[in-house]
Amino acid sequence: MAANFWRIFSIFIWILTLVSSSRTRIYPPNEVTLLDTRTVPGELKWAASPSEGGWEEVSIMDEKNIPIRTYQVCNVLAPNQNNWLRTDWIPRSGAQRVYVEVKFTLRDCNSLPGVTGTCKETFNLYYHESNEDRDSYIKESNFIKVDTVAADESFTQVDVGDRIMKLNTEVRDVKVTTRKGFYLAFQDVGACIALVSVRVFYKTCPLTIRNLATFPDTITGADMSSLVEVRGSCVNQSEEREEPKMYCGADGEWLVPIGGCLCNPGYEEKGGACKACSVGFYKARSSDAGCFKCPPHSHSLRDGASVCDCNSGFFRADSDPPSMACTQPPSAPQQLISVVNETSVVLEWAPPRRLGGRSDTSRERCISDSQLCLPCGSDVLFSPGQTDLKTTRVVVSELRAHTHYTFIIHARNGVSQASGAGASQSVSVTITTNQAAPSPVPSIQATDVTRHSLSLSWQQPDRPNGVILEYEVKFYEKDQRERSYRIMRTFSRSAHVTGLNPLTVYVFHVRARTAAGYGEFSAPFEFSTNSDPFPLIGEGVNSAFMLLSVSGVGILLLISAAIFIISRRYTYTQTETRVKIYVDPFTYEDPDQAIHEFAKEIDVNSIHIERVIGMGEFGEVCSGRLHVQGKREIYVAIKSLKAGYSDKQRRDFLSEASIMGQFDHPNIIRLEGVVTRCKPLMIITEYMENGSLDAFLRKHDGQFTVIQLVGMLRGIASGMKYLSDMSYVHRDLAARNILVNSNLVCKVSDFGLSRVLEDDPEAAYTTRVRRKIPIRWTAPEAIAYRKFTTASDVWSYGIVMWEVVSYGERPYWDMNNQDVIKAIEEGYRLPAPMDCPVVLHQLMLDCWERERAERPTFSQILNMLDKLIRNPGTLRRTGGERYILWILICLVCVVVPGVCVSEWSVCEWLQSVGLERYRDTLAAAGYTSLESLLALTHQELDRLGIITPTHRDILIASVQQEMLSQMQHMQHTMVPV
Ligand code: AMP
């Protein structure tokens, strides 16, 4: 009987081998094979126990007539089977998690004639880690069980010739980190099995180049959730822009590229490498986009130039960028003429004939006294200036009278110095100044002021321009202006002025005279004669007027205050009737006043504490019962403030109750009351049987339907909408701060001001602000400059969605905070969790819009979730299906060219309007041509989960516009037949 089984079995295997085997093994690029029985030449000779009558090695031929080694056992008739088969020692070669792929056939017990209850349909896979290959026999107790393996395809009960037998492929993974290698063992307990092949491999993220950095072939981490951080090295001829980093995921995929390199000057990126700029081209800075052609009048004679050299006779100024053409110095200015007027001269000239290809040509004058040949002193005035002139005219004044001057005008540009050009760019003229009157007296002082007289004195003019023969003093009453004035003359630099009116302001000017005549009068100087008594209040101001003024100002002030108060009251009444706005308890000077306004005081005797359920910042959290007289007993959570607290801690502890007490919503944790009249202080809230949401989901991984998960998210969104309507910004929205009751109702909790973020273990200091922030949950603007708004709460809500759909997975896994910040800045967003409906991931991405105005509001999120719950069909499409559809579309494109022309135009159009993100969503929903997008309606966009208003407008309105313009274009390009 047993021999018969073997015969049948071998034939099966042969058939199978023909059907499914292939000697040319092509492994995926990210899998490194440690053992493959199908490539082992000769016998395997694995250890078997018992050595006779258990597992048996059998050679069979594949379709190319090459023998392959298999193991078989089929003791289905004998009871108490325990047959072990152990592989040779397999070195793990640095792998931390290995995969075992077993291809096997297994007989269905029902298909075996005459077998009794002894027949089994499974076998067990074991492993044992070991540093060396030393065991020649199988020590069963050393082995750890990996799994019991069963066939997922059973045999069809038909005779050999037409029996269709299925080959099972099962893969199991094992963490092997403790020794240099390991053994695998197969335990049979009475089944009819043939191990057709065993392959052991580990996964790597294959060598890759990303952002010009090379990332080496990297072995994946030990756990399914581990990410191995790998630092890339810049490719040849490139330098680091920002430290290049990527993470190697457990499935051999590279994730989250951060940073990268830039090609050095003289090199540009081509196909992931840096190639030298060719002759005639250059690249000046690594950040430049690529190599550029040499600018005019320059050249590069070798590959890899970072700057082009100037042709002979052309130059580049130090400040000229390498992209600028090489230039020449200008020629000399032309046709210089001078017009002398007393001690000033006007110089005018024509611009140089040749500017040398630059726009920075300027003219400079140098002046010297021709007799002494000295440069002019600083007292000579040049208008508009002495150097860097852009005009062709200058006025030089304040020269000395009767003096010879030479003016040299240079034309210069940015390369004059580099070219060494000198006199060839200048032109000169010599002039002689005429005689001139003295300059004005610079200042006048008054002394000995009386009611009717004063004494004046002044300095000599800065430029007397000759011998001063006399001074003239002109003065008048300020009120009279110059309508009537008096003149005095004197040889000295002082004068005593008499006959003045008391308490009157006079204006004085002084000028000097030489042989050339009078100079200009000085600027006006004002002095007042002496005053009468009571100078402070002044004449004409009587006390009655003063009294009236003071009372007038008082009345005015009173009226203004009344108007202000009335208007404030009016506004207050107006806002009060509109919406209830949350009141910050910290605006109360006395924290007890806030707590008693918003929370009910509970008699400590009505509370019955039962057990400790958690630990809060201020002390233990317990569960218990509350029985207020006249009401039914309820379960409650009790937070107490531990002894020895400070004033600040008391205030912070009670602030949570003062905030919570203002809310009344089914998705916000309800405050029952507080105990403040005796110690310890307590906050009593409703009891949430399932505790915090993150731990709850982790405990029930994969156990809820999508609708249940969306229901939880809906509750949180509803609570958040309520908070945002009350203008309350939560700042620490995360699954750990959501509580779940026995009906799976989720409620937002953890309120408070200073304690928010301070007691959250996720909160970390950022480099820019000195407050802790839970980085992974926080919007970039809140991290960067503490801009916490309802829109930043929406960002956090997106993260909570991701936590919920991934059953409490840690956002961004074990990436560090700095990398999370960088990745977000570079546009990376969390991918859809496993089995996540496309619409939900789209909603998350909307919450993570960089621009906060682009994020949806909680009201829009709530509407969206309600629609999803009403139409559960929309939740069925997950990312996986989407890719299948996408692949199908691509296949059609390849097989039937031309069919997909409009498909590409959808992609291009989405790209052109910046909505590339909806490519997959639209393609998966069958929108493969631009024409098909014309059918988009608001309801359809709801269904697809596209809720951002501007995106909706673009998709509906702009597509019509685009089609219209395409049609117009076609009309113009069509040729009449
Ligand atoms: P908290 O100080 O609010 O972060 O609370 C600490 C822990 O106590 C939470 O993580 C929950 O596990 C538990 N807890 C707090 N409030 C409640 C409640 N109302 N019902 C059930 N468990 C709670």
Side-chain angles (χ1 to χ4, degrees):
M1 184 73 180
N4 197 26
F5 277 146
W6 282 124
R7 195 180 57 76
I8 295 168
F9 218 74
S10 301
I11 292 166
F12 273 141
I13 291 167
W14 183 75
I15 294 167
L16 267 171
T17 319
L18 280 184
V19 173
S20 60
S21 91
S22 161
R23 194 81 184 178
T24 14
R25 312 281 336 235
I26 301 167
Y27 304 121
N30 62 347
E31 292 181 5
V32 179
T33 301
L34 295 170
L35 163 74
D36 187 348
T37 55
R38 302 174 73 157
T39 57
V40 175
E43 290 181 19
L44 290 168
K45 290 198 175 142
W46 286 352
S49 158
S51 51
E52 295 282 322
W55 288 95
E56 212 174 305
E57 186 166 354
V58 178
S59 270
I60 56 170
M61 295 297 172
D62 72 0
E63 77 279 17
K64 289 191 182 138
N65 244 5
I66 298 169
I68 57 168
R69 319 297 306 175
T70 70
Y71 277 93
Q72 303 175 359
V73 66
C74 195
N75 300 342
V76 287
L77 298 179
N80 303 329
Q81 291 297 308
N82 183 25
N83 304 309
W84 282 71
L85 173 67
R86 194 206 64 191
T87 64
D88 292 338
W89 184 74
I90 305 167
R92 72 178 165 100
S93 310
Q96 307 197 66
R97 175 164 291 271
V98 294
Y99 296 77
V100 183
E101 181 198 80
V102 187
K103 289 188 191 275
F104 62 97
T105 56
L106 191 75
R107 286 296 300 261
D108 177 353
C109 288
N110 291 333
S111 72
L112 299 170
V115 296
T116 58
T118 54
C119 174
K120 302 284 183 317
E121 291 180 346
T122 59
F123 65 90
N124 297 322
L125 176 66
Y126 286 83
Y127 78 107
H128 162 49
E129 290 189 70
S130 150
N131 269 337
E132 52 191 347
D133 180 11
R134 54 162 183 215
D135 297 337
S136 53
Y137 62 98
I138 307 173
K139 229 188 265 166
E140 290 172 20
S141 59
N142 280 347
F143 279 81
I144 301 166
K145 183 163 164 182
V146 179
D147 204 0
T148 295
V149 183
D152 51 6
E153 306 285 355
S154 42
F155 292 11
T156 329
Q157 176 62 43
V158 259
D159 275 347
V160 175
D162 21 44
R163 194 191 303 253
I164 299 158
M165 200 163 78
K166 295 273 174 60
L167 183 70
N168 292 286
T169 303
E170 290 290 328
V171 181
R172 296 291 182 273
D173 49 290
V174 191
K175 183 170 164 179
V176 282
T177 48
T178 60
R179 299 281 191 279
K180 286 188 197 146
F182 56 94
Y183 294 100
L184 293 174
F186 302 88
Q187 182 199 25
D188 163 58
V189 288
C192 197
I193 323 160
L195 293 181
V196 178
S197 75
V198 177
R199 182 163 86 92
V200 183
F201 60 92
Y202 63 87
K203 291 192 182 178
T204 63
C205 294
L207 178 134
T208 187
I209 294 179
R210 206 68 72 86
N211 299 339
L212 288 177
T214 310
F215 293 86
D217 204 22
T218 304
I219 299 175
T220 57
D223 296 306
M224 291 311 283
S225 66
S226 50
L227 294 179
V228 180
E229 186 185 308
V230 183
R231 202 186 172 289
S233 45
C234 291
V235 299
N236 278 346
Q237 297 298 350
S238 72
E239 63 191 35
E240 224 171 82
R241 167 172 57 90
E242 197 190 333
E243 186 185 19
K245 254 202 270 183
M246 267 212 287
Y247 289 88
C248 173
D251 54 357
E253 296 282 337
W254 287 106
L255 294 168
V256 205
I258 296 172
C261 310
L262 294 170
C263 288
N264 290 342
Y267 290 81
E268 66 181 344
E269 179 175 359
K270 266 190 193 146
C274 291
K275 297 275 157 49
C277 298
S278 31
V279 171
F281 286 78
Y282 77 103
K283 191 180 114 179
R285 285 165 308 181
S286 48
S287 56
D288 288 345
C291 299
F292 297 105
K293 209 165 160 7
C294 285
H297 311 298
S298 69
H299 58 273
S300 71
L301 297 176
R302 52 177 183 83
D303 287 347
S306 59
V307 64
C308 297
D309 299 327
C310 287
N311 296 347
S312 131
F314 287 83
F315 307 91
R316 196 172 267 138
D318 289 345
S319 57
D320 285 354
S323 58
M324 192 172 143
C326 292
T327 52
Q328 291 178 305
S331 58
Q334 310 170 79
Q335 301 153 22
L336 172 62
I337 45 170
S338 58
V339 179
V340 178
N341 178 13
E342 296 185 352
T343 54
S344 56
V345 57
V346 178
L347 300 170
E348 266 183 279
W349 59 91
R353 206 168 345 105
R354 195 167 36 78
L355 294 178
R358 302 181 67 89
S359 58
D360 60 353
T361 304
S362 66
R363 271 66 72 180
E364 264 180 38
R365 277 139 308 85
C366 178
I367 307 180
S368 61
D369 180 315
S370 64
Q371 279 167 332
L372 299 169
C373 238
L374 295 171
C376 293
S378 59
D379 49 349
V380 174
L381 295 183
F382 298 89
S383 171
Q386 189 177 3
T387 55
D388 291 332
L389 281 171
K390 302 287 181 225
T391 58
T392 56
R393 181 177 193 272
V394 69
V395 179
V396 188
S397 50
E398 313 278 313
L399 297 167
R400 270 183 263 150
H402 306 292
T403 311
H404 301 296
Y405 286 92
T406 298
F407 297 90
I408 306 163
I409 313 232
H410 294 282
R412 289 182 171 279
N413 67 12
V415 293
S416 294
Q417 205 166 358
S419 65
S424 60
Q425 281 92 47
S426 61
V427 58
S428 65
V429 63
T430 299
I431 55 112
T432 308
T433 51
N434 300 327
Q435 67 171 15
S439 63
V441 165
S443 74
I444 309 172
Q445 290 85 38
T447 50
D448 304 333
V449 181
T450 68
R451 295 179 65 193
H452 297 289
S453 67
L454 49 77
S455 296
L456 295 177
S457 60
W458 53 87
Q459 280 108 42
Q460 182 178 288
D462 293 337
R463 275 168 295 101
N465 290 335
V467 179
I468 292 180
L469 304 172
E470 179 183 64
Y471 289 101
E472 189 176 85
V473 180
K474 177 168 101 175
F475 63 99
Y476 45 87
E477 282 182 29
K478 190 178 179 185
D479 292 348
Q480 297 287 315
R481 308 239 169 81
E482 283 188 69
R483 280 195 292 271
S484 80
Y485 57 83
R486 282 157 66 190
I487 294 276
M488 284 177 70
R489 296 205 173 89
T490 168
F491 297 115
S492 65
R493 287 188 286 110
S494 63
H496 187 67
V497 187
T498 55
L500 304 174
N501 291 326
L503 256 178
T504 306
V505 178
Y506 284 88
V507 179
F508 297 89
H509 298 269
V510 176
R511 66 178 176 175
R513 184 170 66 85
T514 62
Y518 278 110
E520 294 270 309
F521 270 118
S522 70
F525 288 84
E526 291 179 13
F527 303 107
S528 174
T529 45
N530 248 352
S531 54
D532 277 338
F534 319 114
L536 275 177
I537 291 179
E539 273 179 341
V541 182
N542 64 38
S543 49
F545 176 76
M546 283 291 290
L547 200 67
L548 265 176
S549 310
V550 170
S551 26
V553 169
I555 290 166
L556 263 175
L557 275 175
L558 272 174
I559 292 172
S560 318
I563 291 173
F564 178 73
I565 290 165
I566 291 167
S567 67
R568 280 293 296 254
R569 279 204 147 201
Y570 179 69
T571 345
Y572 180 66
T573 332
Q574 286 235 317
T575 45
E576 202 179 41
T577 49
R578 267 194 302 134
V579 264
K580 195 174 160 210
I581 300 288
Y582 140 84
V583 182
D584 178 354
F586 281 74
T587 54
Y588 283 72
E589 241 172 61
D590 175 6
D592 285 340
Q593 192 192 338
I595 195 78
H596 289 120
E597 190 154 324
F598 300 120
K600 208 163 33 172
E601 180 74 26
I602 288 182
D603 176 7
V604 75
N605 296 319
S606 56
I607 302 164
H608 178 78
I609 297 180
E610 286 178 342
R611 61 188 179 91
V612 177
I613 52 170
M615 203 54 209
E617 191 206 356
F618 298 99
E620 287 159 352
V621 183
C622 299
S623 67
R625 280 170 287 135
L626 170 71
H627 194 178
V628 177
Q629 222 162 21
K631 287 194 179 164
R632 95 190 145 78
E633 187 177 67
I634 53 168
Y635 282 99
V636 286
I638 304 141
K639 282 188 188 179
S640 40
L641 178 60
K642 57 184 177 249
Y645 52 81
S646 65
D647 268 1
K648 182 176 178 307
Q649 281 174 318
R650 178 179 193 273
R651 203 181 157 111
D652 289 349
F653 177 75
L654 292 179
S655 78
E656 176 164 27
S658 300
I659 294 169
M660 218 190 300
Q662 298 181 49
F663 303 141
D664 177 17
H665 188 273
N667 296 102
I668 306 287
I669 194 84
R670 193 180 64 251
L671 177 75
E672 294 298 339
V674 288
V675 176
T676 60
R677 303 234 163 93
C678 60
K679 291 195 178 151
L681 301 192
M682 294 181 201
I683 296 177
I684 320 292
T685 62
E686 63 179 309
Y687 179 55
M688 302 293 283
E689 294 82 350
N690 281 313
S692 54
L693 178 61
D694 61 333
F696 174 69
L697 286 170
R698 282 196 280 270
K699 199 164 132 201
H700 298 278
D701 192 359
Q703 293 175 10
F704 298 115
T705 62
V706 179
I707 285 290
Q708 279 175 312
L709 296 179
V710 174
M712 294 181 203
L713 291 173
R714 192 217 175 266
I716 303 167
S718 175
M720 288 308 297
K721 176 184 178 304
Y722 174 82
L723 292 182
S724 69
D725 287 346
M726 284 192 71
S727 306
Y728 179 81
V729 179
H730 192 291
R731 296 173 176 225
D732 197 11
L733 178 60
R736 65 184 167 280
N737 290 332
I738 304 290
L739 293 169
V740 190
N741 72 9
S742 55
N743 297 322
L744 288 195
V745 176
C746 290
K747 305 199 182 195
V748 181
S749 84
D750 254 54
F751 302 99
L753 291 166
S754 66
R755 63 175 293 266
V756 169
L757 318 179
E758 291 300 327
D759 75 319
D760 187 334
E762 281 295 348
Y765 286 109
T766 65
T767 47
R768 277 172 259 184
V769 284
R770 298 296 313 145
R771 281 293 291 273
K772 280 174 154 190
I773 285 180
I775 303 292
R776 283 152 215 276
W777 282 264
T778 305
E781 74 276 5
I783 296 175
Y785 49 97
R786 296 192 60 70
K787 185 82 193 158
F788 284 97
T789 56
T790 291
S792 63
D793 276 353
V794 166
W795 178 291
S796 314
Y797 179 81
I799 304 287
V800 172
M801 287 185 72
W802 192 89
E803 289 185 275
V804 169
V805 183
S806 63
Y807 283 91
E809 178 65 272
R810 180 168 162 73
Y812 312 95
W813 307 278
D814 45 11
M815 278 169 72
N816 67 40
N817 280 341
Q818 280 316 310
D819 284 353
V820 171
I821 294 174
K822 261 193 235 152
I824 292 297
E825 256 170 33
E826 293 191 4
Y828 174 82
R829 296 292 183 270
L830 282 167
M834 208 166 66
D835 297 331
C836 174
V838 178
V839 276
L840 286 187
H841 189 233
Q842 187 54 56
L843 188 55
M844 294 176 204
L845 294 175
D846 288 342
C847 294
W848 304 327
E849 277 286 347
R850 177 181 294 280
E851 289 300 322
R852 71 195 141 93
E854 298 277 294
R855 296 174 203 151
T857 59
F858 280 114
S859 167
Q860 287 169 323
I861 293 173
L862 193 61
N863 281 340
M864 174 75 197
L865 295 175
D866 281 340
K867 276 182 192 141
L868 295 181
I869 294 169
R870 280 199 297 273
N871 306 299
T874 43
L875 289 165
R876 258 181 237 131
R877 254 192 353 263
T878 64
E881 294 155 16
R882 183 184 66 192
Y883 292 126
I884 292 169
L885 251 164
W886 194 235
I887 289 164
L888 270 176
I889 289 166
C890 293
L891 272 176
V892 173
C893 295
V894 174
V895 176
V896 195
V899 165
C900 295
V901 172
S902 49
E903 160 63 21
W904 297 125
S905 66
V906 171
C907 299
E908 280 163 11
W909 180 72
L910 286 173
Q911 212 167 14
S912 72
V913 295
L915 295 181
E916 230 179 330
R917 74 189 68 186
Y918 297 122
R919 193 186 67 173
D920 293 357
T921 312
L922 289 170
Y927 293 94
T928 51
S929 68
L930 218 47
E931 304 90 84
S932 64
L933 291 184
L934 282 170
L936 280 178
T937 58
H938 281 281
Q939 287 95 321
E940 178 65 352
L941 291 176
D942 285 345
R943 196 178 68 78
L944 296 174
I946 301 174
I947 60 168
T948 312
T950 44
H951 297 176
R952 291 164 73 104
D953 290 349
I954 292 172
L955 284 170
I956 290 183
S958 309
V959 76
Q960 291 169 2
Q961 192 61 41
E962 175 62 29
M963 287 304 296
L964 212 64
S965 63
Q966 282 199 8
M967 274 155 62
Q968 281 165 355
H969 178 73
M970 270 163 65
Q971 275 170 8
H972 288 135
T973 49
M974 267 190 302
V975 184
V977 187

